[in-house]
């Protein structure tokens, strides 16, 4: 089947997938084998091969991905085939870059939006695989997978899943794992602040109590896109299980503090005046004790916006993403995390409309940016 296929056809097929994405049914099945075309870019072996053959010969093949076929591919082409027992490849900087460009933008039910859907959804599949694997490793917790990738008429700004102890479902305080719209992985202790169903939202006074309790403590981990090459599914799962296990006491005390009307937060063994200091394990599960380092440094990242803007231009993100990041940072620094999460871009035929807020939480006029 590879007689007329050249390496350049494989590269052209990869570029076509970059532009069109791959159909949902590709990810609905197990995709254990992925082809690495360049650093940080991987493609499903079967879909990439099918498209390369079609480009070269015009023939549409229906074939099974057997070891014999993969060996022939390895013999002819200089591209590495990676195997993922999880059924999908790990997060990549390239995929998170695509996700961050689309997240929060308007979506319309038109055929021309299908390629955007197909480029956006793979990150949701990986995020749900993360949730599925955490559930297997944390039997005393419930992990709620979230396949809702739309928010009203927009693409969702994140792919977050909630993790809470059995019996705590209605308490609206939980751990969150997933991908943020700014293109990084996050694990954090959080509460339900917004929902179309108001009955699911924690009362405002309890939200404030929760934020006061969490303030100054070590309550989150962020894994940035440019760090992902040093990560794997195993490392991410161990890291997540380790963090949640270590912060179980913080989670219990947060629920107690919020619901017992305490005026002062109870002291925690995990309490810290610097939320980026790593706390050594106390009762970590035996399964992961050997993987816990003696020292770990989670230093905060100081953002160089001039460098970020230059990098944004080089990677094609452009001014609209740069402004969105600035707006979100402005609101976070003003203590308006809930408003920062609402900053979004709206795609249209001519450019981007950016919705944001001022430091008083009031919505401001949108910024029109033309796409050059």
């Amino acid at each position: 089947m590879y007689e007329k296929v050249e390496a350049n056809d494989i590269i052209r097929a990869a570029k076509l997938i970059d532009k069109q994405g791959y159909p949902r049914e590709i990810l609905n099945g197990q995709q254990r084998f992925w082809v690495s075309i360049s650093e940080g870019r991987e493609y499903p072996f079967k879909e990439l091969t099918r498209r390369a053959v079609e480009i070269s010969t015009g023939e549409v093949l229906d074939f099974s991905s057997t070891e014999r076929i993969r060996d022939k591919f390895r013999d002819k082409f200089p591209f590495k085939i990676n195997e993922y027992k999880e059924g999908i490849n790990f997060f990549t900087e390239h995929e998170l870059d695509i996700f961050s460009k689309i997240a929060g933008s308007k979506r319309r039910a038109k055929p021309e939006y299908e390629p955007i859907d197909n480029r956006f959804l793979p990150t949701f599949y990986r995020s749900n695989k993360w949730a599925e694997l955490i559930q297997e490793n944390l039997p005393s917790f419930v992990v709620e997978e979230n396949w809702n990738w739309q928010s009203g008429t927009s693409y969702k700004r994140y792919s977050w899943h909630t993790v809470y102890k059995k019996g705590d479902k209605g308490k609206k305080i939980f751990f969150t794992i997933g991908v943020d719209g700014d293109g990084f992985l996050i694990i954090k202790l959080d509460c339900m602040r917004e929902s179309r169903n108001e009955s699911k939202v924690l009362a405002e006074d309890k939200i404030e109590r929760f934020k006061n309790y969490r303030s100054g403590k070590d309550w989150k981990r962020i894994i940035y896109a440019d760090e992902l090459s040093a990560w794997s599914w195993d490392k991410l799962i161990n890291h997540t299980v380790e963090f949640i296990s270590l912060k179980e006491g913080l989670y219990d005390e947060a629920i107690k503090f919020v619901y017992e009307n305490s005026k002062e937060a109870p002291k925690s063994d995990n309490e810290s005046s610097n939320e980026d200091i790593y706390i050594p394990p106390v009762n970590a599960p035996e399964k992961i004790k050997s993987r816990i380092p003696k020292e770990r440094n989670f230093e905060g990242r100081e953002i160089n916006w001039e460098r970020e803007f230059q990098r944004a231009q080089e990677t094609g993100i452009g001014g609209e993403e740069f402004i969105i990041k600035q707006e979100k940072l402005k609101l976070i620094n003003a203590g308006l995390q809930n408003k920062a999460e609402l900053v979004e871009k709206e795609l249209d035929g001519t450019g981007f409309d950016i919705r944001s807020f001022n430091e008083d939480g009031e919505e401001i006029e949108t910024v029109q940016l033309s796409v050059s």
Side-chain angles (χ1 to χ4, degrees):
M1 60 182 286
Y2 297 125
E3 291 81 3
K4 296 181 180 180
V5 180
E6 302 297 335
N8 189 52
D9 296 321
I10 303 292
I11 294 173
R12 288 173 64 194
K15 290 181 178 179
L16 193 61
I17 292 174
D18 283 343
K19 184 177 181 180
Q20 299 178 350
Y22 28 85
R24 234 165 289 183
E25 54 266 24
I26 295 295
L27 292 174
N28 285 334
Q30 291 285 304
Q31 299 295 322
R32 292 177 58 191
F33 299 96
W34 293 69
V35 180
S36 178
I37 298 298
S38 59
E39 186 175 353
R41 298 196 180 199
E42 291 184 320
Y43 304 86
F45 170 78
K46 186 174 179 179
E47 180 67 7
L48 181 70
T49 300
R50 186 190 67 78
R51 294 199 186 200
V53 171
E54 185 176 3
I55 288 170
S56 175
T57 68
E59 182 181 359
V60 179
L61 289 182
D62 184 13
F63 66 97
S64 297
S65 173
T66 64
E67 189 61 30
R68 184 176 64 85
I69 289 177
R70 291 191 293 272
D71 282 342
K72 287 186 176 181
F73 182 98
R74 294 184 186 99
D75 290 342
K76 182 165 184 178
F77 305 113
F79 308 116
K80 183 181 178 182
I81 300 177
N82 299 316
E83 181 177 3
Y84 295 90
K85 65 181 185 296
E86 295 81 8
I88 190 170
N89 71 324
F90 189 62
F91 297 97
T92 66
E93 183 174 4
H94 173 59
E95 291 282 359
L96 291 195
D97 179 49
I98 292 173
F99 181 82
S100 67
K101 287 178 180 177
I102 299 173
S105 62
K106 292 293 184 183
R107 180 190 182 275
R108 296 173 177 85
K110 297 180 180 180
E112 57 265 32
Y113 276 78
E114 186 174 344
I116 302 176
D117 294 351
N118 291 341
R119 295 169 66 213
F120 183 69
L121 284 171
T123 295
F124 266 84
Y125 278 85
R126 293 183 185 92
S127 187
N128 276 279
K129 176 58 68 173
W130 183 4
E132 175 188 322
L133 294 171
I134 291 304
Q135 183 65 87
E136 293 174 5
N137 287 271
L138 277 176
S140 62
F141 283 79
V142 175
V143 183
E144 287 193 354
E145 296 181 28
N146 186 352
W147 286 98
N148 183 13
W149 53 277
Q150 291 179 259
S151 177
T153 59
S154 299
Y155 291 97
K156 214 165 184 180
R157 297 183 302 275
Y158 48 80
S159 66
W160 292 348
H161 314 278
T162 55
V163 184
Y164 54 84
K165 277 186 173 180
K166 293 179 179 178
D168 287 348
K169 181 177 178 62
K171 295 180 180 176
K172 304 167 187 175
I173 292 174
F174 40 72
F175 292 99
T176 296
I177 63 173
V179 182
D180 187 85
D182 283 336
F184 54 77
L185 309 187
I186 188 165
I187 313 162
K188 62 179 178 177
L189 179 64
D190 209 345
C191 68
M192 183 62 76
R193 306 184 194 198
E194 294 180 357
S195 174
R196 293 182 182 276
N197 184 347
E198 292 186 3
S199 66
K200 293 183 177 180
V201 178
L202 200 61
E204 288 188 14
D205 63 319
K206 287 185 171 63
I207 291 175
E208 287 305 311
R209 206 173 298 141
F210 172 81
K211 289 164 64 177
N212 290 338
Y213 174 75
R214 195 180 64 172
S215 178
K217 296 180 175 65
D218 179 27
W219 56 271
K220 67 179 176 180
R221 293 289 183 267
I222 291 177
I223 303 164
Y224 292 95
D226 58 5
E227 302 167 349
L228 288 172
S229 60
W231 287 73
S232 66
W233 281 118
D234 284 343
K235 183 175 180 179
L236 179 63
I237 300 313
N238 285 333
H239 184 79
T240 306
V241 171
E242 172 191 319
F243 178 80
I244 292 175
S245 298
L246 291 173
K247 302 305 170 188
E248 185 175 345
L250 191 68
Y251 162 90
D252 290 336
E253 290 172 358
I255 291 176
K256 181 179 179 181
F257 179 65
V258 167
Y259 283 95
E260 285 193 358
N261 259 342
S262 302
K263 295 182 178 179
E264 185 177 347
K267 297 296 182 181
S268 166
D269 290 339
N270 288 337
E271 187 168 345
S272 167
S273 60
N274 183 339
E275 72 175 39
D276 289 319
I277 293 178
Y278 178 77
I279 307 298
V282 179
N283 292 313
E286 292 295 333
K287 183 176 182 178
I288 61 168
K289 277 187 178 178
S290 63
R291 295 180 178 268
I292 299 176
K294 293 181 180 178
E295 295 182 4
R296 183 174 294 177
N297 183 12
F298 288 94
E299 295 182 355
R301 283 167 59 113
E302 181 178 344
I303 299 177
N304 183 326
W305 284 110
E306 183 177 353
R307 185 197 67 190
E308 288 293 311
F309 183 64
Q310 180 180 1
R311 183 183 179 192
Q313 290 181 315
E314 291 172 354
T315 57
I317 296 176
E320 66 282 347
E321 289 297 328
F322 178 73
I323 290 176
I324 287 172
K325 287 185 178 181
Q326 282 188 311
E327 289 295 305
K328 287 185 175 182
L329 185 63
K330 173 192 76 177
L331 294 168
I332 290 171
N333 288 340
L336 298 171
Q337 174 71 30
N338 59 329
K339 295 298 183 183
E341 293 174 355
L342 296 176
V343 175
E344 64 180 359
K345 57 183 178 287
E346 178 180 346
L347 286 168
D348 61 25
T350 59
F352 294 82
D353 288 323
I354 297 177
R355 175 196 184 200
S356 189
F357 303 83
N358 61 25
E359 285 86 346
D360 294 323
E362 300 168 338
E363 187 167 349
I364 59 176
E365 293 183 1
T366 56
V367 181
Q368 178 69 241
L369 290 170
S370 61
V371 178
S372 58

